[in-house]
Amino acid sequence: MKIRMLVEMPEGSARNGEPWPAEGDCVDLPTAEAAHLVASGVAEEVTDAAPAEQPPAEPRRSRRKTPESEEE
């Protein structure tokens, strides 16, 4: 499965002895590993319809409701 990295991994991080791809780089990984990275928001799946030159999408962030925000 081809993915595009959405985040920069910490310096010194390695995958199978090789440095992780940089943010925005595309890499082909085994499906299970790629799906895990996509589900965790670290990467996005790259399809043939999405050109590699497309800038990386911003990672989605969820907002938690706090008791103060419910009172407003």
Side-chain angles (χ1 to χ4, degrees):
M1 173 187 250
K2 192 167 189 174
I3 61 167
R4 178 181 298 114
M5 297 297 293
L6 297 177
V7 299
E8 189 74 34
M9 295 305 241
E11 188 173 332
S13 296
R15 180 191 163 276
N16 296 333
E18 295 293 322
W20 277 94
E23 180 179 356
D25 285 353
C26 295
V27 63
D28 198 13
L29 297 176
T31 302
E33 186 175 354
H36 175 75
L37 293 171
V38 170
S40 65
V42 173
E44 66 182 356
E45 184 175 0
V46 177
T47 62
D48 293 332
E53 297 82 31
Q54 180 180 3
E58 290 294 318
R60 289 191 280 175
R61 308 221 184 244
S62 61
R63 293 184 181 205
R64 293 185 180 171
K65 289 188 176 184
T66 61
E68 295 83 30
S69 65
E70 291 176 356
E71 294 175 4
E72 293 176 7

